[in-house]
Amino acid sequence: MQTFIKKADTAILEAAALIKRGELVVFPTETVYGLGANAFDGQAVAKIFKAKGRPQDNPLIVHISEIDEIKNIAVDIPDGFYKLAERFMPGPLTVILKKSDKIPCEVTAGGDTVGVRMPDNKYARELISKSFPLAAPSANRSKHISPTTAEHVYEDLAGEIPLILDGGECSVGIESTVLDLTCDIPTILRPGAITAEMLLGIVGEVSENGRVIKIAKAPGMKYTHYAPVVDTVSAKNIDSAVAEYDKAAAQGKNPVIVARDIYRDKVSEREQISLGITAEDYTRNIYKALHDAEKKYGYIIIEELHGEGLEQSVMNRVTKAAGGKSV
Ligand code: TXA
Ligand code: MG
């Protein structure tokens, strides 16, 4: 077979016609050149393995031109995918998802997951949009260096493929980051230009090399914020608040109970600051109560709430104020 190198901007239609006929086409991406076939055509995809001398057990990435195409490629797509897509697609990120029945086993090497990526290269996306999503590995002979120019591809694969679209040098130059979203914790299977730190901003935690990296979703969330300058604990109920108070008082700690008015009887003559009655009162009053308490007392004991919604939100702040200490 004769192999032609053609300028990408003039040969997209010819390339799309080849793909529709079940042939292979090499196309540029921002990472490395890819060796593409119609991802829905198992026989076409099988040619990729033959041309590259690629082991049959190594799955291929499916390249898309629009996020919407994901519906034909993957199923049970988690929200995280769409968040990542919004930030990093098009770009050098491949995401592993559960495969759809429309994707033949040749693409996934028999597995039930599929890698998906949207390349940040206009020729690649134009070719895809004029033909099909493309299953494609790097366009090198198996085990050889990945190609970042059309010439690299020609040196490796001349005679095996009909057409190489020349789109110039690849701008990123290494293969995409591969992120598995089918695990409990998103896992980096192959590092790339999209780093764990960059992913963390979107997915909250990432596993890489067996190590789990986490960050809080909002800056500063990981620190003990809202903490009073004096020792503070939360109390599971008013009885444990009272018991803690008496213990602290006996130790000379100058304690105060911060609680709702409904417990005034139980708190009795002990030092106290009122949070009002309802969850809304509690929420509105909590910071002021803590400000007041830290000026006058040596030890703050805050009544916990155990309901949903607003009560949970305000408990998030109380837990931080208490540094997680609960009695
Ligand atoms: O930047 C890139 O990703 C380039 C361009 C052409 O898009 N492609 C590329 O493909 O590097 P390839 O086949 O050379 O490398 C794909 C990597 C392989 O390590 C493969 O095992 C892994 O992704 N992979 C693909 N599908 C997978 C899946 N379903 N589960 C786990 N790993 C997968
Ligand atoms: Mg490769």
Side-chain angles (χ1 to χ4, degrees):
M1 179 187 301
Q2 203 177 350
T3 300
F4 292 94
I5 301 182
K6 296 192 177 172
K7 290 274 174 242
D9 52 358
T10 61
I12 294 287
L13 287 179
E14 183 185 341
L18 282 166
I19 293 294
K20 288 184 204 161
R21 288 211 303 272
E23 298 299 330
L24 306 182
V25 170
V26 172
F27 60 98
T29 85
E30 80 282 31
T31 59
V32 301
Y33 276 74
L35 172 57
N38 176 359
F40 301 119
D41 179 345
Q43 281 183 344
V45 171
K47 293 181 183 173
I48 293 174
F49 287 84
K50 189 158 171 288
K52 272 185 65 107
R54 183 178 174 103
Q56 304 280 342
D57 62 356
N58 196 4
L60 304 178
I61 296 167
V62 176
H63 297 69
I64 59 176
S65 63
E66 280 174 50
I67 292 301
D68 217 38
E69 291 163 338
I70 194 72
K71 292 180 192 131
N72 292 318
I73 293 161
V75 294
D76 299 344
I77 302 163
D79 279 353
F81 170 81
Y82 293 100
K83 288 188 199 147
L84 288 165
E86 201 175 309
R87 174 70 184 78
F88 297 116
M89 293 187 189
L93 176 67
T94 296
V95 177
I96 308 293
L97 299 167
K98 273 197 207 158
K99 97 186 240 312
S100 134
D101 290 342
K102 293 180 187 160
I103 293 295
C105 59
E106 284 84 353
V107 172
T108 63
D112 54 11
T113 62
V114 63
V116 186
R117 126 168 167 83
M118 188 196 292
D120 188 11
N121 179 292
K122 65 174 179 178
Y123 304 120
R125 289 211 306 282
E126 213 179 314
L127 171 60
I128 295 161
S129 70
K130 289 189 160 49
S131 58
F132 291 100
L134 296 175
S138 50
N140 51 287
R141 214 171 263 287
S142 190
K143 308 260 153 50
H144 197 211
I145 309 156
S146 291
T148 56
T149 66
E151 290 70 32
H152 294 161
V153 179
Y154 191 85
E155 287 160 17
D156 258 20
L157 296 179
E160 304 290 338
I161 50 173
L163 179 61
I164 301 168
L165 290 178
D166 185 352
E169 270 182 44
C170 301
S171 58
V172 172
I174 59 166
E175 298 88 341
S176 61
T177 303
V178 177
L179 181 71
D180 191 348
L181 277 193
T182 67
C183 321
D184 286 344
I185 297 174
T187 300
I188 294 180
L189 302 181
R190 179 174 73 182
I194 308 290
T195 63
E197 284 67 30
M198 293 160 77
L199 294 166
L200 278 174
I202 313 291
V203 291
E205 59 180 346
V206 170
S207 174
E208 188 172 23
N209 299 322
R211 200 165 64 93
V212 178
I213 318 160
K214 299 179 192 231
I215 58 156
K217 292 209 169 112
M221 288 283 282
K222 62 188 161 183
Y223 307 109
T224 311
H225 261 201
Y226 325 116
V229 294
V230 299
D231 253 9
T232 303
V233 295
S234 63
K236 292 189 181 64
N237 54 52
I238 203 65
D239 293 327
S240 59
V242 166
E244 184 69 9
Y245 180 100
D246 291 347
K247 201 170 79 185
Q251 294 167 351
K253 281 184 172 174
N254 187 23
V256 61
I257 293 176
V258 176
R260 287 171 296 173
D261 274 349
I262 49 176
Y263 297 119
R264 196 150 267 181
D265 281 356
K266 287 204 173 188
V267 176
S268 178
E269 299 302 304
R270 297 172 183 88
E271 293 294 313
Q272 59 188 285
I273 294 177
S274 168
L275 290 172
I277 296 165
T278 65
E280 285 75 13
D281 295 341
Y282 185 116
T283 306
R284 189 175 56 250
N285 293 329
I286 187 71
Y287 285 156
K288 179 166 192 314
L290 294 179
H291 278 293
D292 290 349
E294 70 177 6
K295 291 188 187 101
K296 208 171 150 198
Y297 300 97
Y299 189 57
I300 303 172
I301 303 159
I302 314 167
E303 175 210 354
E304 294 174 15
L305 300 180
H306 297 284
E308 310 267 289
L310 181 64
E311 297 197 13
Q312 274 183 354
S313 301
V314 71
M315 274 312 99
N316 165 274
R317 308 308 192 276
V318 166
T319 303
K320 284 178 195 299
K325 281 175 289 178
S326 171
V327 296

